[in-house]
């Protein structure tokens, strides 16, 4: 740390000077905003005063429209400027607290003197708009701060590489305009600063890591070349943090072309969505679209089908039960996760070009107008080389034409007369005037006009359904794949799981493993629009995606750049790791980045969990000391032991303490045991956010989240078996500072695998 005198005083003076500039800018901006706000309010109030409304002649109407448009554009423009000023004010507010966090002195090779560069969450120019008082952390030059130590360094600009030398690298902790800490560093981005950040208590929302981004994380954040970026990172290595910083980076780098709507993030569950919600706003950016893959699939599949949630599937798999179907279900999940299954489905889809697409009758008032057989006949008279979606489009045109005839025939039916009686007065008046303009018997004409109105209204909804392709029976066509399709490629136990799948389909139900295949099938048959507007897709916890699901995502986002982040050690689904997208063989334009350093947990927790980590990846702990994990044998009642443990942790000052259980049932049991005595919150898949305190949470919902302390209430050998390795590993790695495992019997095999000096044993 630099001495408090000398450098510190000079730096503090600079902070004050910069703060003064920030206040001045804010003042100026506030007065401009208030002027603009008044003018927007004024314009809204007087909007119509400046519009000349004249609807007498067609030319006048056009002129009126143009005048309204002009006025509306003026208003929209002012509102837009006001919006961007508000954003600027928000950034200044953040700078006021901590204007910057880093400094480097960089001398370009062909310059005589070094420039002092100060780096913060946003750029700030001096009053003359000549020099940068602060550089945005995303500016090309700022990459020097993250990528280099002292000595030779270079950064990329549009005109090429700029080479030079770094003579100083300094970090600051500034709060409310006062330097609280200052470190000169020669190595990675100051361990002290990182120690500070990681030593803090966990929070119910994630924080940005902008001041302490590590070199390997920076590669993820600033990657611009790859179409597919695969990040395999051990637990707590900063994958989610890097993903969010990357979004902020891209939003800055491509600010003129990228809007928040162009970026989508698939998050593992709604709780996680709320957990990460603060990071982008903290960086001065708007949140991008976040949704779970489940929600995406539900939207694509449509409301008529219900989908099993991935958590329900997980519950089934984690709850051991004597179930005759279990073996079948496991095989089913495994098979439907593979690309081989997609090939089979593709073969079926190819066969549909010759036969098999199922249709629905086109009915009107309970009468079949066009039977499904006729629709099928028309569909299959078309050239088989025309794609299925194109043939469906042509069928729509044909059906609409056919309907026109039926519509005419309906005009004289009795039911029409009844409906005429229900028309509103305006329809009668309109019909009266229209009839007057015709030459014939006006009474007869008027009735005909009214009949046409009634029939057209009724046919409109039928036509709409046809345009929405409701006449294609997607479900029945898909079911046929399981019930009567023949192929040499069918897998061995096809008969057993096809009957189960067909039975689910009859109930309009899709298991989680069936959801992506069905959505894929539907899009191939109907030609669902692919998501072209999405320029960047991020998938967190990507190890949970099956090979099939990933193929579907690629199919739906053909032009999108993707960043997949995950940890194969935390793959708690049953698909094999070999098939996991994170292990995907490199395609063109694919880059793979591996993060091996774990930042979340203390060195002691990382050393313990590494002993039984499922994969063979290197896991390096970050040097942060803490207590060794504790294995507690039950000597008293379970309730007494759990309460004592939690109270001890509370006394130390931990604010988020989680009981991580294997299943929902276990959560309920622990909740029932403890809730009469302490205030605890039970988290389930409907929980959308959480507050600091004591939580009871199933492991699959704790993914991606962290807690000061984790208690595993039943770490016995009966409860966690070999197949639960990734589950147990995931649960333990949620702990930042303390890990306590409780057991009444023999501890599970993973604890046995751990070196005995990596944990302590006690009686509770
Ligand atoms: N460079 C960094 N500076 C400060 N904190 C960091 C840094 N990298 C990671 N962290 C912290 O480490 C913790 C874990 O980060 P994060 O949740 O992003 O990891 P992850 O790889 O997504 O974890 P997991 O896969 O286990 O869910 C967070 O508290 C995060 O703030």
């Amino acid at each position: 740390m630099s001495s408090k005198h000398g450098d510190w005083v000079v730096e503090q003076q600079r902070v004050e000077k910069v703060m003064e500039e920030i206040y001045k800018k804010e003042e100026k901006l506030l007065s401009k905003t208030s002027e603009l706000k008044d003018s927007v309010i004024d314009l809204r109030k007087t909007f119509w005063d400046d519009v000349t409304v004249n609807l007498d002649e067609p030319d006048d109407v056009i002129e009126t429209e143009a005048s309204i448009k002009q006025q509306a554009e003026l208003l929209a423009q002012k509102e837009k400027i006001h919006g961007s000023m508000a954003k600027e004010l928000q950034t200044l507010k953040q700078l006021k607290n901590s204007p910057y966090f880093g400094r480097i002195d960089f001398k370009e090779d062909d310059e005589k003197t070094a420039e002092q560069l100060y780096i913060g969450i946003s750029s700030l120019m001096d009053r003359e708009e000549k020099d940068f008082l602060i550089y945005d952390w995303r500016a090309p030059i700022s990459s020097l701060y993250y990528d280099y130590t002292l000595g030779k360094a270079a950064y990329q600009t549009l005109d090429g590489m700029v080479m030079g030398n770094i003579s100083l690298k300094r970090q600051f902790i500034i709060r409310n305009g006062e330097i609280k800490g200052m470190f000169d560093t020669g190595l990675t981005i100051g361990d002290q600063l990182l120690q500070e950040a990681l030593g803090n208590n966990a929070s119910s929302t994630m924080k940005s890591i902008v001041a302490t981004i590590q070199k390997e994380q920076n590669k993820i954040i600033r990657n611009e070349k790859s179409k597919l970026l695969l990040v395999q990172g051990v637990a707590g290595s900063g994958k989610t943090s890097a993903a969010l910083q990357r979004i902020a980076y891209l939003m800055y780098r491509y600010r003129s072309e990228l809007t928040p709507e162009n970026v989508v993030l698939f998050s593992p569950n709604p709780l996680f969505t709320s957990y990460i919600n603060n990071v982008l706003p903290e960086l001065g950016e708007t949140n991008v679209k976040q949704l779970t893959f489940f929600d995406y699939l539900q939207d694509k599949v449509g409301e008529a089908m219900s989908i099993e949630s991935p958590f329900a599937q997980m519950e089934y798999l984690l709850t051991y039960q004597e179930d005759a179907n279990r073996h079948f279900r496991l095989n089913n999940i495994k098979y439907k996760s593979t690309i081989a299954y997609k090939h089979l489905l593709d073969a079926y889809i190819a066969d549909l070009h010759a036969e098999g697409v199922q249709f629905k009758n086109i009915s009107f008032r309970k009468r079949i107008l066009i039977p499904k057989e006729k629709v099928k006949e028309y569909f299959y008279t078309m050239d088989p080389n025309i794609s299925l979606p194109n043939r469906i489009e042509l069928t729509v045109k044909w059906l609409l034409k056919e309907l026109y005839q039926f519509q005419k025939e309906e005009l004289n039916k009795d039911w029409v007369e009844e409906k005429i009686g229900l028309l509103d007065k305006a329809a009668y008046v309109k019909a009266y005037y229209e009839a007057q303009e015709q030459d014939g018997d006006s009474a007869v004409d008027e009735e005909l006009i009214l009949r046409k109105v009634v029939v057209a209204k009724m046919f409109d909804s039928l036509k709409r359904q046809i345009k929405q392709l409701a006449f294609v029976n997607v479900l029945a066509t898909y079911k046929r794949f399981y019930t009567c399709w023949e192929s040499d490629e069918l897998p061995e136990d096809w008969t057993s799981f096809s009957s189960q799948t067909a039975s689910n389909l009859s109930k309009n139900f899709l298991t989680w493993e069936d959801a992506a295949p069905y959505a894929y099938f539907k899009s191939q048959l109907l030609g669902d629009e692919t998501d072209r507007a999405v320029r960047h897709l991020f998938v967190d916890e990507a190890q949970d995606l099956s090979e099939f699901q990933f193929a579907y995502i690629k199919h739906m986002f053909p032009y999108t750049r993707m960043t997949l982040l995950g940890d194969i050690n935390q793959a708690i689904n049953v698909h094999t790791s070999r098939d996991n997208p994170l292990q995907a063989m490199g395609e063109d334009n694919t880059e793979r980045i591996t993060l091996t350093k774990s930042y979340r947990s203390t060195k002691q927790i990382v050393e313990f969990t590494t002993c039984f980590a499922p994969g063979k990846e290197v896991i390096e702990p970050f040097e942060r000391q803490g207590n060794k994990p504790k294995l507690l044998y039950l000597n008293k009642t379970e309730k007494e032991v759990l309460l004592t443990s939690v109270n001890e942790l509370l006394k130390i000052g931990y604010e988020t303490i989680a009981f991580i259980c294997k299943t929902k049932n276990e959560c309920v049991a622990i909740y029932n045991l403890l809730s009469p005595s302490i205030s605890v919150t039970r988290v389930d898949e409907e929980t959308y956010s959480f507050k600091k305190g004591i939580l009871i949470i199933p492991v699959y919902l704790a993914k991606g989240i962290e807690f000061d302390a984790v208690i595993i209430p039943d770490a016995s050998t009966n409860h966690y078996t070999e197949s639960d390795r990734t589950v147990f590993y995931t649960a333990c790695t949620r702990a930042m500072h303390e890990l306590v495992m409780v057991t009444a019997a023999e501890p599970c095999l993973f604890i046995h695998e751990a070196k005995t000096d990596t944990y302590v044993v006690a009686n509770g």
Side-chain angles (χ1 to χ4, degrees):
M1 199 179 287
S2 307
S3 82
K4 220 162 180 168
H5 306 287
D7 285 356
W8 190 300
V9 174
V10 176
E11 291 290 9
Q12 181 60 44
Q13 280 167 354
R14 185 181 192 275
V15 170
E16 278 154 29
K17 197 178 134 224
V18 172
M19 295 294 286
E20 211 182 296
E21 291 295 320
I22 297 173
Y23 277 108
K24 286 235 165 73
K25 281 221 157 164
E26 189 186 44
E27 207 177 298
K28 223 161 128 187
L29 203 59
L30 274 173
S31 99
K32 264 199 209 163
T33 334
S34 118
E35 269 171 38
L36 193 68
K37 193 172 166 197
D38 289 348
S39 120
V40 168
I41 294 172
D42 255 15
L43 192 58
R44 280 205 197 120
K45 273 193 204 149
T46 59
F47 188 95
W48 294 104
D49 298 356
D50 294 330
V51 172
T52 356
V53 180
N54 184 353
L55 304 172
D56 294 345
E57 299 296 325
D59 278 356
D60 299 330
V61 174
I62 293 171
E63 217 167 279
T64 303
E65 260 176 23
S67 161
I68 294 175
K69 203 170 155 220
Q70 197 182 11
Q71 192 76 340
E73 269 167 12
L74 186 66
L75 185 60
Q77 202 183 3
K78 288 196 178 204
E79 282 173 338
K80 199 170 159 201
I81 299 173
H82 188 256
S84 70
M85 280 179 169
K87 201 174 161 198
E88 221 178 304
L89 274 173
Q90 182 58 28
T91 311
L92 288 176
K93 197 171 150 198
Q94 275 157 329
L95 289 183
K96 266 193 318 192
N97 181 34
S98 178
Y100 43 82
F101 48 78
R103 163 181 165 185
I104 40 172
D105 292 2
F106 180 67
K107 189 183 89 57
E108 286 183 27
D109 281 348
D110 43 10
E111 295 286 335
K112 285 210 174 65
T113 51
E115 197 189 343
Q116 296 175 358
L117 310 164
Y118 285 83
I119 295 157
I121 62 151
S122 176
S123 296
L124 186 78
M125 306 281 289
D126 62 6
R127 228 167 295 178
E128 290 81 39
E129 302 279 317
K130 249 176 68 199
D131 289 321
F132 278 97
L133 296 173
I134 309 170
Y135 280 92
D136 192 299
W137 63 280
R138 297 164 288 192
I141 199 167
S142 304
S143 66
L144 290 170
Y145 177 73
Y146 298 110
D147 289 343
Y148 291 95
T149 57
L150 301 187
K152 286 206 167 306
Y155 69 96
Q156 182 80 45
T157 66
L158 286 177
D159 302 327
M161 287 302 269
V162 179
M163 321 290 275
N165 195 76
I166 298 179
S167 54
L168 178 90
K169 190 163 168 182
R170 181 168 284 170
Q171 286 154 2
F172 304 93
I173 302 174
I174 304 175
R175 299 286 174 263
N176 292 322
E178 201 185 317
I179 300 179
K180 300 278 184 200
M182 192 169 108
F183 317 98
D184 284 358
T185 164
L187 298 163
T188 48
I189 294 185
D191 274 2
Q192 291 101 316
L193 211 61
L194 198 50
Q195 283 283 2
E196 267 263 332
L198 299 172
N200 288 334
N201 273 352
S203 147
S204 55
T205 52
M206 192 174 219
K207 303 252 174 332
S208 103
I209 58 163
V210 62
T212 47
I213 293 167
Q214 302 296 294
K215 188 174 173 177
E216 70 274 15
Q217 296 171 331
N218 201 32
K219 277 197 211 140
I220 302 169
I221 296 165
R222 291 182 187 244
N223 179 299
E224 286 174 37
K225 291 192 204 108
S226 319
K227 172 114 196 301
L228 175 61
L229 180 60
L230 297 170
V231 181
Q232 155 61 44
V234 299
S237 54
K239 297 178 291 293
T240 307
S241 308
L244 294 166
Q245 298 286 154
R246 173 164 166 75
I247 294 176
Y249 174 78
L250 293 168
M251 302 294 289
Y252 170 86
R253 177 79 178 77
Y254 299 100
R255 53 196 173 278
S256 56
E257 26 188 305
L258 210 58
T259 64
E261 291 76 45
N262 300 140
V263 183
V264 168
L265 169 64
F266 281 157
S267 60
N269 59 59
L271 187 65
F272 180 87
T273 307
S274 97
Y275 176 66
I276 61 170
N277 242 353
N278 275 358
V279 179
L280 286 169
E282 215 176 89
L283 292 166
E285 294 296 341
T286 318
N287 261 327
V288 295
K289 190 172 172 189
Q290 291 175 44
L291 74 169
T292 61
F293 187 46
F294 173 82
D295 289 336
Y296 180 81
L297 282 176
Q298 184 68 72
D299 182 53
K300 294 292 168 196
V301 155
E303 276 173 10
M305 301 294 287
S306 71
I307 306 181
E308 174 193 39
S309 81
F311 313 115
Q313 187 201 62
M314 193 70 69
E315 274 292 327
Y316 176 83
L317 295 170
L318 293 176
T319 310
Y320 182 76
Q321 51 213 354
E322 287 303 330
D323 180 349
N325 285 329
R326 194 174 173 84
H327 168 75
F328 140 76
R329 180 84 203 263
L330 280 176
N331 282 349
N332 197 21
I333 295 174
K334 279 189 186 157
Y335 180 59
K336 286 177 178 169
S337 301
T338 63
I339 216 71
Y341 178 59
K342 181 172 170 288
H343 292 327
L344 194 73
L345 194 51
D346 282 333
Y348 175 64
I349 294 166
D351 282 1
L352 290 178
H353 285 77
E355 62 160 348
V357 179
Q358 306 293 300
F359 296 95
K360 293 182 189 162
N361 293 324
I362 310 290
S363 303
F364 182 72
R365 293 179 56 82
K366 296 192 181 144
R367 186 164 74 88
I368 297 175
L369 299 184
I370 311 172
K372 53 189 175 189
E373 292 76 17
K374 204 169 160 206
V375 184
K376 192 185 238 176
E377 196 184 304
Y378 179 83
F379 185 85
Y380 279 112
T381 48
M382 277 183 253
D383 180 348
N385 291 320
I386 304 176
S387 74
L388 296 172
N390 282 348
R391 271 199 256 179
I392 287 172
E393 253 336 286
L394 291 169
T395 312
V396 169
K397 285 197 181 132
W398 170 73
L399 284 172
L400 293 177
K401 223 155 87 196
E402 292 287 295
L403 277 193
Y404 183 69
Q405 278 310 320
F406 289 107
Q407 193 170 337
K408 272 194 357 205
E409 282 167 25
E410 288 296 310
L411 282 180
N412 294 321
K413 302 259 169 83
D414 292 346
W415 68 267
V416 182
E417 204 166 329
E418 279 167 36
K419 298 266 177 199
I420 287 178
L422 302 175
L423 286 174
D424 60 18
K425 199 173 158 201
Y428 276 93
V429 174
K430 195 163 172 256
Y432 170 79
Y433 282 114
E434 273 180 33
Q436 294 299 317
E437 280 171 20
Q438 295 178 13
D439 297 335
D441 178 342
S442 62
V444 175
D445 287 342
E446 189 182 330
E447 189 186 332
L448 185 63
I449 291 165
L450 288 171
R451 279 177 178 275
K452 279 185 183 166
V453 170
V454 166
V455 175
K457 254 195 190 161
M458 296 291 280
F459 268 74
D460 272 355
S461 98
L462 185 57
K463 286 181 195 164
R464 206 173 319 118
Q465 284 177 30
I466 289 176
K467 286 182 196 155
Q468 287 165 353
L469 315 184
F471 65 100
V472 186
N473 198 336
V474 180
L475 182 58
T477 316
Y478 188 65
K479 212 164 141 191
R480 205 182 144 270
F481 175 44
Y482 289 101
T483 49
C484 49
W485 187 60
E486 299 285 336
S487 161
D488 298 338
E489 306 299 319
L490 294 177
E492 233 173 66
D493 37 6
W494 179 253
T495 338
S496 62
F497 59 65
S498 63
S499 69
Q500 187 63 282
T501 312
S503 144
N504 281 334
L505 293 174
S506 305
K507 293 176 219 144
N508 286 9
F509 177 71
L510 294 165
T511 57
W512 179 238
E513 62 273 21
D514 278 312
Y518 183 80
Y520 172 72
F521 175 79
K522 188 176 170 201
S523 87
Q524 289 290 45
L525 179 60
L526 302 184
D528 246 6
E529 281 285 294
T530 52
D531 283 298
R532 282 159 198 264
V534 179
R535 304 263 307 274
H536 285 273
L537 176 72
F538 287 75
V539 184
D540 205 350
E541 303 291 336
Q543 74 279 350
D544 292 340
L545 280 185
S546 72
E547 211 187 0
F548 191 111
Q549 288 168 336
F550 181 46
Y552 170 67
I553 290 177
K554 282 204 287 191
H555 168 74
M556 293 308 284
F557 298 92
Y559 308 104
T560 303
R561 286 180 183 268
M562 291 188 204
T563 307
L564 264 61
L565 312 110
D567 177 13
I568 211 70
N569 283 332
Q570 298 177 58
I572 62 179
N573 284 354
V574 292
H575 15 91
T576 61
S577 52
R578 185 177 46 79
D579 294 335
N580 198 285
L582 282 178
Q583 313 280 78
M585 296 309 289
E587 295 169 22
D588 280 354
N589 254 330
T590 298
E591 187 166 343
R592 185 189 301 275
I593 295 179
T594 309
L595 300 177
T596 53
K597 199 154 195 169
S598 180
Y599 297 99
R600 171 182 300 127
S601 314
T602 57
K603 187 167 182 250
Q604 285 69 19
I605 295 174
V606 174
E607 281 173 351
F608 170 72
T609 50
T610 304
C611 297
F612 52 85
K616 296 282 163 271
E617 287 86 8
V618 179
I619 305 175
E620 292 171 75
F622 175 74
E623 273 295 330
R624 187 167 63 82
Q625 300 294 332
N627 292 328
K628 286 183 181 176
K630 189 167 24 167
L631 172 65
L632 260 187
Y633 281 97
L634 282 186
N635 245 1
K636 302 191 194 106
T637 64
E638 186 185 17
K639 182 171 174 173
E640 277 174 289
V641 173
L642 296 183
L643 284 177
T644 313
S645 292
V646 91
N647 282 327
E648 278 171 9
L649 294 167
L650 283 171
K651 246 188 245 155
I652 301 174
Y654 294 132
E655 292 170 334
T656 57
I657 301 171
F659 286 93
I660 303 190
C661 303
K662 197 171 136 184
T663 60
K664 188 174 177 174
N665 281 348
E666 192 191 347
C667 286
V668 172
I670 298 292
Y671 181 79
N672 291 341
L673 190 70
L674 301 182
S675 60
S677 308
I678 44 166
S679 156
V680 280
T681 308
R682 186 168 76 76
V683 173
D684 62 21
E685 58 179 290
E686 313 268 280
T687 311
Y688 287 176
S689 63
F690 69 96
K691 293 199 180 75
K692 286 182 179 174
I694 305 163
L695 305 179
I696 301 176
I697 184 168
V699 60
Y700 50 82
L701 291 180
K703 293 190 120 194
I705 299 175
E706 62 196 18
F707 309 96
D708 289 333
V710 165
I711 302 176
I712 299 189
D714 182 359
S716 69
T717 188
N718 297 335
H719 201 49
Y720 288 98
T721 59
E722 176 58 51
S723 60
D724 301 318
R725 186 175 288 274
T726 50
V727 173
F728 192 73
Y729 177 79
T730 306
C732 293
T733 54
R734 300 307 92 202
M736 289 179 74
H737 312 297
E738 299 272 354
L739 172 63
V740 180
M741 298 156 290
V742 181
T743 183
E746 189 59 20
C748 64
L749 80 156
F750 315 120
I751 299 176
H752 280 302
E753 282 176 24
K755 288 189 201 133
T756 46
D757 63 349
T758 59
Y759 63 100
V760 293
V761 182
N763 285 321

